[in-house]
């Protein structure tokens, strides 16, 4: 709407006063109506400063003179308005000279004309909006009537949800969509009554313009055929939508405040951060609320605070690190063991000057521990990236739960993220902060010490994962590979293809081993066991998976052996026959090997099983093993020999069918057992020293994926479920027995 300046407001006030004076003097209403219908073509001849041009000796309440424009003047002004609605001073003076008017009269005429045109436009837009709203409401009523009269095709009675046809179910879905659309349009109509709607209904994009970052082997930005499985739609994703226009200023203000808090927390020391004896930095909560009294509000009742800080130097430049953090696909791929699914709801800003400085995104994400016994943590948050004056970059997340009061969440993300400082030779220093408020009462008792130690979801796990992934990428791009060992793959193309295949295998394993219910797997209602989680899915038209019915089973248990010992035992091909039932006791030989970092256990291997069974004599196994301060993985999948020959020669690995199985090994979080992230370096724990109160040991999750029928349309038999359940239990017993023998024999 038109808002006059202080000068113009004074003038309009004088006109209003004069109109009242006219009524007092008996001027008829017809003159007022005539004045109004002229759309401001009559103005007073006051001085712009508010001083009267009349003789000062005249009485101040004398009636002011009005000037009526001639038909020619109006036509000329209308014609000029079509060409230029906003004339400058020079044009107004020329018009006033040509039309024998004062420049101030011309100015006021154009102001009134613009106001009149704007009002007409508003009325037209509001009529269109009301018409669209009425149409949607009528269509919604038709759908409601159709649904209320739905009958069962068999008995003729009212149809239950489970008995409805596909078309009727589609009507329900469409009805819900229309209800949301009506609510949205009604809200916009209420907001813009009397205001131009402009482009309020322009479609809002979900994702930012793609920024390609070639990370060579990692291929973090392009996971064809797999992203849809990982980034499903769960409770948080279904219950939130893109932010409204009224929310956006609040989101920006919240992000800016969160960025300031993150930088201060990254640079602060004692007493805000307290160093523990196990090399971790934990937050002093009382000092935090004294330092940041406003924040995002007090801690909700029933939630527990988790806050930690970790720093490390990683072998990746700061620009690539920012790219990974600001691209949802790359971020989810690099941290696939932590991020089970993620989605960018709206990009409020893509940054400036061709980079992510100032980028602002509204996101949802689900964070996991690789075990079905630890519930995932879902968050609805804004992510903000900024480059500071000293050249450092910072990326911060902060929850937006306050914008959705009806959103029920068990976790809240206070300002969390990382500060990235550029170092010479392509290195970067990363300072990571994780600050959460969570309700973790549903965590299994076995995992509570790990969760409470801060290692399950804390900063140390994020930084350790980032360090390992940066080393993986750097080693995969190395060209000076010595050819002394025959099993080492020296071909750059073969290394890239094999590492890309292994990366897809790891992501597939991580997406199915946690407690997330968002992916395409379905939990079986009866498995015959409470401690084994069995899921099924049908695989069709997916070149990355074999067609048919796939069954997955996972279980977690504690074992009184240090994580490092468990990891070395499971990754060693020489001890594989002690636990791998499918190898039938045959010897396993490493055929190819790619190192993935400084740790000897971080590698990708191609194994051959030399079995007496002729059907398995040519079986190959692709295996990736990785370890860091927060935990370890040993993941493997049977692969076809012909397909692997194509991969080793540099061919496309996306068409190699994989069904990954494997192990996730975590410290148990007890004192001396990895509460500070050192559990992976502990020696073997003697069974005589383990107690119910918890000495150091390992939390081991075993997960299998097995093709039980090659026909996707076949029905799953309970016998198949029982077979997989028996297989995973037998494997667990073998692992326990083998490691118990090592403990008794004092294995190094």
């Amino acid at each position: 709407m038109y808002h006059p300046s202080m000068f113009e407001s004074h003038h309009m006030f004088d006109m209003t006063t004069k109109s009242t004076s006219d009524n007092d003097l008996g001027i008829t209403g017809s003159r007022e109506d005539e004045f109004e219908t002229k759309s401001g073509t009559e103005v007073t001849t006051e001085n712009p400063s508010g001083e009267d041009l009349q003789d000062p000796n005249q009485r101040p309440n004398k009636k002011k003179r009005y000037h009526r424009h001639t038909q020619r003047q109006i036509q000329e002004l209308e014609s000029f308005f079509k060409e230029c609605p906003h004339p400058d001073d020079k044009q107004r003076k020329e018009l006033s000279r040509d039309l024998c008017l004062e420049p101030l009269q011309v100015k006021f005429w154009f102001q009134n004309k613009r106001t009149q045109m704007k009002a007409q436009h508003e009325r037209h837009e509001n009529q269109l909006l009301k018409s669209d709203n009425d149409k949607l409401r009528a269509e919604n009523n038709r759908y409601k009537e159709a649904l209320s009269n739905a009958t069962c095709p068999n008995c003729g009675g009212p149809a239950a949800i489970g008995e409805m046809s596909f078309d009727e179910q589609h009507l329900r879905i469409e009805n819900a969509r229309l209800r949301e659309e009506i609510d949205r349009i009604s809200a916009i109509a209420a907001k813009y009554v009397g205001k131009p709607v402009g482009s309020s209904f322009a479609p809002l994009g979900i994702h930012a313009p793609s920024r390609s970052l070639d990370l060579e082997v990692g291929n973090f930005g392009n996971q064809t055929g797999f992203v849809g499985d990982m980034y499903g739609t769960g409770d948080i994703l279904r219950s939130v939508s893109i932010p409204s226009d009224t929310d956006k200023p609040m989101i920006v203000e919240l992000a800016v405040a969160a960025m300031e808090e993150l930088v201060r927390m990254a640079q602060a020391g004692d007493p805000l951060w307290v160093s523990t004896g196990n090399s971790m930095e934990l937050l002093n909560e009382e000092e935090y609320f004294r330092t940041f009294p406003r924040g995002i509000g007090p801690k909700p009742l029933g939630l527990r605070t988790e806050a930690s800080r970790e720093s490390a130097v990683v072998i990746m430049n700061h620009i690539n690190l920012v790219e990974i953090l600001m691209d949802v696909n790359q971020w989810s791929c690099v941290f696939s063991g932590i991020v089970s699914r993620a989605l960018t709801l709206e990009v409020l800003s893509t940054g400036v000057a061709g980079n992510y400085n100032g980028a602002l995104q509204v996101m949802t994400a689900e964070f996991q521990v690789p075990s079905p016994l630890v519930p995932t943590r879902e968050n609805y948050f804004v992510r903000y990236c900024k480059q500071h004056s000293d050249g450092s970059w910072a990326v911060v997340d902060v929850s937006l739960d306050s914008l959705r009061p009806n959103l029920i969440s068990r976790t809240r993300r206070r300002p969390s993220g990382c500060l990235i400082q550029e170092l010479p030779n392509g290195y970067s220093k990363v300072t990571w902060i994780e600050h959460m408020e969570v309700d973790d009462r549903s965590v299994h008792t076995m995992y509570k010490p790990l969760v409470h130690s801060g290692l399950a979801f804390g900063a140390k796990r994020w930084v350790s994962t980032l360090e390992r992934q940066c080393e993986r990428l750097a080693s995969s791009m190395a060209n000076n590979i010595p050819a002394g060992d025959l099993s080492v793959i020296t071909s750059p193309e073969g290394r890239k293809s094999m590492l890309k295949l292994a990366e897809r295998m790891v992501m597939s394993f991580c997406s199915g081993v946690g407690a997330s219910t968002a992916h395409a797997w379905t939990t079986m209602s009866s498995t015959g066991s409470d401690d084994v989680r069995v899921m099924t899915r049908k695989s069709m038209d997916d070149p990355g998976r074999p067609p048919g019915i796939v069954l997955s089973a996972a279980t977690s248990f504690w074992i009184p052996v240090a994580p490092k010992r468990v990891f070395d035992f499971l990754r060693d091909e020489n001890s594989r026959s002690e636990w791998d039932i499918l190898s039938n006791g045959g010897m396993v030989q490493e055929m190819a090997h790619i190192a993935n970092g400084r740790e000897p256990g971080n590698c990708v291997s191609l194994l051959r099983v030399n079995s007496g069974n002729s059907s398995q004599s040519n079986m190959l196994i692709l295996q990736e093993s990785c370890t860091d301060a927060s935990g370890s993985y040993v993941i493997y999948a049977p692969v076809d020999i012909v397909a692997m020959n194509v991969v080793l020669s540099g061919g496309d690995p996306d068409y190699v069918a994989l069904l990954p199985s494997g192990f996730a090994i975590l410290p148990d979080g007890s004192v001396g057992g990895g509460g500070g992230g050192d559990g992976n370096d502990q020696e073997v724990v003697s069974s005589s020293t383990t107690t119910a109160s918890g000495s150091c040991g390992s939390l081991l999750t075993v997960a299998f994926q097995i093709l039980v029928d090659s026909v996707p349309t076949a029905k799953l038999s309970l016998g198949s479920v029982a077979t997989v359940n028996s297989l995973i239990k037998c494997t667990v017993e073998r692992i326990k027995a083998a490691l118990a023998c090592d403990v008794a024999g004092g294995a190094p």
Side-chain angles (χ1 to χ4, degrees), residues 346-632:
E346 186 176 8
V347 177
L348 302 183
S349 172
T350 58
V352 296
N355 57 42
Y356 281 103
N357 183 23
L360 198 65
Q361 304 174 1
V362 177
M363 304 173 64
T364 58
E366 182 184 55
F367 307 109
Q368 69 170 359
V369 168
S371 170
L373 302 182
V374 182
T376 56
R377 297 179 175 181
E378 294 180 331
N379 284 119
Y380 171 54
F381 59 94
V382 60
R383 174 164 292 180
Y384 178 41
C385 177
K386 181 180 179 181
Q387 184 180 20
H388 295 277
S389 57
D390 60 356
S392 63
W393 289 77
V395 178
V396 65
D397 299 342
V398 62
S399 283
L400 297 177
D401 296 349
S402 58
L403 301 182
R404 300 291 184 268
N406 58 342
L407 183 66
I408 301 176
S409 176
R410 294 182 295 107
T411 65
R412 188 166 73 155
R413 196 167 177 81
R414 285 191 178 269
S416 303
C418 64
L419 184 66
I420 304 170
Q421 297 170 285
E422 181 182 8
L423 297 178
N425 302 323
Y427 285 75
S428 300
K429 181 183 178 182
V430 177
T431 302
W432 201 291
I433 292 173
E434 280 295 307
H435 192 180
M436 304 281 290
E437 292 169 339
V438 300
D439 177 6
D440 56 7
R441 289 172 290 184
S442 57
V443 175
H444 193 278
T445 305
M446 185 168 58
Y447 276 84
K448 280 193 174 180
L450 175 68
V451 173
H452 290 177
S453 72
L455 194 58
F457 295 97
K460 192 173 189 69
R461 187 176 176 214
W462 287 92
V463 171
S464 299
T465 302
L466 181 62
E467 278 187 287
R468 174 169 50 81
Q469 290 283 37
C470 290
E471 286 185 7
R472 185 186 200 276
L473 180 62
S475 61
S476 66
M477 298 175 65
N479 295 320
N480 53 344
I481 306 299
D485 191 342
L486 294 178
S487 65
V488 175
I489 301 176
T490 58
S491 165
E493 294 79 10
R495 288 168 58 86
K496 292 177 183 180
S497 295
M498 187 166 169
L499 285 169
K500 183 180 177 183
L501 180 62
E503 179 183 74
R504 176 161 63 89
M505 176 181 69
V506 171
M507 292 181 65
S508 178
F509 174 83
C510 292
S511 69
V513 73
S516 175
T517 58
H519 42 67
W521 300 85
T522 304
T523 303
M524 302 296 292
S525 58
S526 60
T527 64
S529 175
D530 293 332
D531 58 350
V532 178
R533 180 174 177 240
V534 178
M535 299 177 292
T536 182
R537 68 161 290 161
K538 294 180 179 180
S539 177
M540 298 178 65
D541 302 325
D542 186 350
R545 292 189 180 94
I549 299 178
V550 178
L551 209 61
S552 174
T555 187
S556 299
F557 59 95
W558 181 82
I559 189 169
V561 181
K564 186 178 187 304
R565 175 65 192 124
V566 178
F567 173 69
D568 290 339
F569 170 76
L570 293 174
R571 76 177 181 87
D572 187 0
E573 68 272 12
N574 295 321
S575 59
R576 190 180 188 94
S577 59
E578 297 183 45
W579 58 265
D580 190 357
I581 301 173
L582 300 181
S583 65
N584 291 326
M587 297 301 295
V588 181
Q589 178 185 2
E590 186 178 57
M591 304 298 296
H593 175 91
I594 301 176
N596 262 348
R598 295 172 295 179
E599 284 284 343
N602 291 350
C603 64
V604 176
S605 303
L606 188 62
L607 309 176
R608 180 193 292 274
V609 179
N610 298 316
S611 173
N613 187 341
S614 59
S615 64
Q616 294 183 341
S617 58
N618 292 323
M619 184 173 69
L620 295 180
I621 297 175
L622 177 67
Q623 174 177 294
E624 175 159 355
S625 58
C626 54
T627 183
D628 56 49
S630 65
S632 309

Side-chain angles (χ1 to χ4, degrees), residues 62-77:
K62 186 177 180 178
K63 181 174 63 177
K64 296 182 181 179
R65 179 174 54 85
Y66 288 94
H67 175 78
R68 188 189 303 274
H69 297 331
T70 65
Q71 191 65 26
R72 173 183 168 276
Q73 289 173 333
I74 294 175
Q75 289 177 351
E76 291 293 333
L77 290 170

Side-chain angles (χ1 to χ4, degrees), residues 70 72-74 76-77 80 90-103 106:
T70 65
R72 173 183 168 276
Q73 289 173 333
I74 294 175
E76 291 293 333
L77 290 170
F80 194 91
K90 182 179 179 181
Q91 291 172 318
R92 287 198 298 267
K93 289 180 180 178
E94 291 179 356
L95 276 173
S96 64
R97 185 171 55 253
D98 295 342
L99 300 177
C100 301
L101 294 173
E102 294 293 330
V106 175

